[in-house]
Amino acid sequence: MTANVVIMLSVALVSGVAGLWLLLRLRSRATPQSRYAHGMVGVMAMALGIILTIFGIAQWSWNSTP
């Protein structure tokens, strides 16, 4: 596994965890505006984590020898 793949998967993990944390904060007693913002940013962070994971695994598989 190259350093590029490790960095990409690390950023994906951080983004996914941050997105999950933001989505879990939707249960708090916050204002509707902050709930909307947490939901929007949380979904985008989770999407970034998923996309980076897909591309990181693909890049890792391209570099492996059959």
Side-chain angles (χ1 to χ4, degrees):
M1 188 177 297
T2 63
N4 294 340
V5 175
V6 172
I7 291 170
M8 188 179 294
L9 292 177
S10 299
V11 172
L13 179 66
V14 169
S15 175
V17 168
L20 183 63
W21 178 72
L22 285 169
L23 289 175
L24 289 175
R25 289 202 49 180
L26 289 175
R27 294 182 175 199
S28 68
R29 292 185 220 160
T31 63
Q33 293 86 2
S34 69
R35 289 177 51 105
Y36 179 78
H38 279 89
M40 182 176 57
V41 175
V43 167
M44 287 194 297
M46 289 290 291
L48 176 67
I50 291 169
I51 295 298
L52 286 178
T53 301
I54 291 169
F55 282 119
I57 291 172
Q59 190 176 17
W60 180 32
S61 70
W62 294 334
N63 288 334
S64 63
T65 56

